[in-house]
Amino acid sequence: MAHPEQRAAVEVHQPTPLPPAVAVPAPVVPVQPNAVPAVASVVLPDGRVVTGYAINPAQPEPAGVKPPVSRAAVNVALGGVGFLAVCGGLLLLTSFIAALTAFITQLITLATVVFGGWIAVQIFSASSHQGGTTVNIRKATFKRNHFHS
């Protein structure tokens, strides 16, 4: 434990608040690129002088400004879109022609089968149908002309 004599020697200091500093606007000097900027001095209200370089705040880029698009880039992009559209159209046309050819081939096959079946029905029904003219050369029978032997 510390001695009572040492305790009395300790002094407590309270901080004293400083009034807010009011900056005197420093003269703005235009600076050329690649040149050393001018030194600015600010006099504080209590009389002290602060010297340093003036820093300009960074200016954000305007949001509405866009870089111009070159005419050649637009033409190339539109040409690419047109080329893809033509290729797609040709592919669809080729598919359509192939499908149409297959459809026509099936129609021709169907017509052949139906017409051939009709002819077969006509042939077989005529031979089984006995109401027509009968010609039998061996027996010399002509029903139509009434020649009987």
Side-chain angles (χ1 to χ4, degrees), residues 97-116:
I97 290 173
L100 187 64
T101 304
F103 180 68
I104 290 173
T105 304
Q106 288 179 354
L107 281 181
I108 291 172
T109 305
L110 180 65
T112 304
V113 168
V114 168
F115 187 67

Side-chain angles (χ1 to χ4, degrees), residues 86-104:
V86 167
C87 288
L90 288 177
L91 180 66
L92 287 175
L93 182 64
T94 305
S95 301
F96 177 74
I97 290 173
L100 187 64
T101 304
F103 180 68
I104 290 173

Side-chain angles (χ1 to χ4, degrees), residues 41-127:
S41 297
V42 177
V43 179
L44 298 178
D46 61 353
R48 292 181 294 167
V49 177
V50 178
T51 305
Y53 295 106
I55 300 174
N56 293 330
Q59 296 291 333
E61 295 246 351
V65 177
K66 293 182 181 178
V69 179
S70 71
R71 188 99 100 161
V74 171
N75 289 341
V76 167
L78 289 176
V81 170
F83 178 74
L84 288 177
V86 167
C87 288
L90 288 177
L91 180 66
L92 287 175
L93 182 64
T94 305
S95 301
F96 177 74
I97 290 173
L100 187 64
T101 304
F103 180 68
I104 290 173
T105 304
Q106 288 179 354
L107 281 181
I108 291 172
T109 305
L110 180 65
T112 304
V113 168
V114 168
F115 187 67
W118 183 77
I119 291 175
V121 166
Q122 296 300 319
I123 291 173
F124 289 124
S125 67
S127 64

